[in-house]
Amino acid sequence: MISVVAPVYNEEALIDEFYARTCAALDGLPFEIVLVDDGSSDGTPLRLERIAAADARVRVVSLSRNFGHQTALTAGLDHARGDAVVMLDADLQDPPELILTMLDHWRAGCDVVYAVREQRAGESRFKLSTARWFYSLFDKLAQVELAPNAGDFRLLDRRPLDALLSMRERNRFLRGMTVWVGYTQAAVPYQRDRRYAGETKYTLSKMLRFSLDAISSFSHRPLQLATLLGFVISTLAFVAIPVVIVLRILGSYLPGFSALTIVVLLLGGIELIAIGIIGEYVGRIYDEVKGRPLYLVRARSNLSDPAGELHASALPPVTAEGRLGHPKPIEADSDPLTPTSRPRD
Ligand code: UDP
Ligand code: MG
């Protein structure tokens, strides 16, 4: 079976068309469509309900509020039961017909098939150039190799999907995570269409946050950059000390006040930036440590057993060490009363 997963946020103008086009594209194949309502405030939930009532292949997961695109996608992946799972946007920018090409690669043995946008119609010049900057910055900083212009439109085999779902981190950059899991990967090129209806839900601040999440979850370079900058500037200061002393001995005073002010301000600024960079990471560590569920489900349609419950549950994420924040289970043969026999956390 093939699962098609799409997050939906205030898309009442296009959800019926998405459903119709996806069904037409996959006609004759065993498939399910998992639609995640990411806390829509328009007529989307009603439409989703209608579609699910008429077609048992359509499963709907309604989140308790807006959790954002990446988390909504994760909720959909958690509930998908296919042997191969395709994730795409519901706004028809990613043509559902391309799924057939992806399936060909999958049948030929590829575990991850990602679609690369060759052309992006209907996007503003600003969005295109910021996207280009982001991909080249990410390429320089991050430890995974992301094909430039590969979005979240991807097919995953069950094995890489299960690997992906075992990663319960809060700041999710799914397209990076699907590369990180490895397995056999293949690319298919496509022309990205314009939005079928409505407006983009990614505001500038959301895009900024998203790129910070992406970089911080795949790179420590910004932190190392702060250290490097610190060394460079301290070296400059050490070089400056003998220069000042010699000038003083020679009797020439540095007409220094304004230069000094500039240096102090510059250093202050750099220090604050460095603290800010550390703060970005510390904030994310804090988010992880709190161990909140990634999302909360308000309702499900056409999903009898809550398969996603396991992942979505309120329990802290499972790690190789046991549950975060909980002591490791004590082995049966160890004596719980002897402190030394307890496993060290
Ligand atoms: N989306 C979502 N939650 C959000 C924002 C977006 O589920 O908070 C969905 C949206 O309905 C669409 C997909 O994510 O199906 C991509 O969003 P959008 O088209 O606005 O992003 P863009 O294509 O402009 O980057
Ligand atoms: Mg879009």
Side-chain angles (χ1 to χ4, degrees):
M1 185 169 72
I2 302 141
S3 301
V4 177
V5 175
V8 188
Y9 178 51
N10 289 346
E11 308 282 17
E12 61 177 348
L14 54 78
I15 193 62
D16 293 313
E17 178 67 18
F18 172 79
Y19 163 70
R21 240 178 93 180
T22 308
C23 288
L26 299 179
D27 193 32
L29 294 168
F31 70 91
E32 65 169 3
I33 303 178
V34 182
L35 295 170
V36 182
D37 172 23
D38 189 14
S40 300
S41 53
D42 65 350
T44 305
L46 197 71
R47 277 167 200 264
L48 289 178
E49 215 171 276
R50 268 197 223 135
I51 297 174
D55 188 344
R57 295 172 304 180
V58 179
R59 335 242 186 235
V60 177
V61 181
S62 306
L63 302 187
S64 63
R65 64 168 171 86
N66 180 249
F67 280 90
H69 176 222
Q70 300 285 301
T71 307
L73 254 181
T74 306
L77 296 176
D78 281 341
H79 288 81
R81 292 156 196 187
D83 305 300
V85 175
V86 179
M87 46 184 181
L88 79 175
D89 288 352
D91 60 0
L92 291 169
Q93 285 195 286
D94 304 329
E97 295 76 22
L98 196 74
I99 296 174
L100 298 178
T101 320
M102 293 175 146
L103 285 172
D104 288 341
H105 281 79
W106 176 60
R107 289 195 193 99
C110 277
D111 297 305
V112 179
V113 187
Y114 55 92
V116 177
R117 303 172 280 215
E118 281 200 324
Q119 286 221 327
R120 301 174 69 164
E123 307 258 37
S124 68
R125 193 178 287 177
F126 178 73
K127 176 128 183 176
L128 292 181
S129 48
T130 46
R132 205 171 38 243
W133 294 338
F134 168 73
Y135 280 104
S136 70
L137 185 69
F138 188 84
D139 190 47
K140 286 196 185 80
L141 296 178
Q143 280 117 28
V144 292
E145 242 166 74
L146 196 64
N149 263 322
D152 283 323
F153 190 10
R154 268 145 210 268
L155 177 146
L156 296 171
D157 177 65
R158 182 41 72 179
R159 272 185 316 161
L161 177 68
D162 283 342
L164 178 74
L165 292 182
S166 71
M167 295 151 77
R168 305 309 288 174
E169 59 212 63
R170 250 124 275 273
N171 297 300
R172 306 181 76 74
F173 184 56
L174 285 171
R175 57 196 85 166
M177 292 161 76
T178 53
V179 175
W180 185 90
V181 297
Y183 296 94
T184 338
Q185 310 232 348
V188 281
Y190 78 113
Q191 317 284 324
R192 196 166 211 230
D193 298 330
R194 55 184 66 242
R195 228 174 193 284
Y196 181 77
E199 304 240 299
T200 174
K201 307 295 181 301
Y202 263 96
T203 55
L204 182 61
S205 67
K206 269 193 190 174
M207 281 201 306
L208 213 62
R209 191 114 297 275
F210 185 48
S211 35
L212 279 177
D213 280 346
I215 290 170
S216 63
S217 47
F218 283 97
S219 172
H220 291 163
R221 287 269 163 81
L223 287 171
Q224 293 158 348
L225 203 72
T227 319
L228 189 75
L229 216 64
F231 273 113
V232 170
I233 289 173
S234 342
T235 311
L236 281 180
F238 278 112
V239 171
I241 294 168
V243 172
V244 171
I245 293 173
V246 169
L247 286 175
R248 199 61 192 260
I249 291 168
L250 294 178
S252 102
Y253 284 97
L254 283 180
F257 181 71
S258 46
L260 203 66
T261 316
I262 291 170
V263 170
V264 168
L265 286 179
L266 183 75
L267 281 183
I270 290 171
E271 274 163 358
L272 287 178
I273 292 172
I275 293 173
I277 294 174
I278 298 170
E280 289 291 333
Y281 285 84
V282 173
R284 283 171 174 79
I285 296 170
Y286 184 46
D287 281 346
E288 295 294 344
V289 170
K290 278 187 285 192
R292 291 184 186 162
L294 283 182
Y295 56 85
L296 294 172
V297 175
R298 186 169 49 80
R300 295 181 177 85
S301 305
N302 293 343
L303 280 158
S304 45
D305 74 296
E309 197 78 337
L310 185 71
H311 292 299
S313 72
L315 291 168
V318 181
T319 65
E321 306 284 314
R323 289 193 183 280
L324 262 185
H326 290 247
K328 270 202 220 164
I330 296 162
E331 277 94 47
D333 60 351
S334 71
D335 175 7
L337 294 176
T338 321
T340 47
S341 71
R342 282 171 187 266
R344 288 193 185 279
D345 283 322

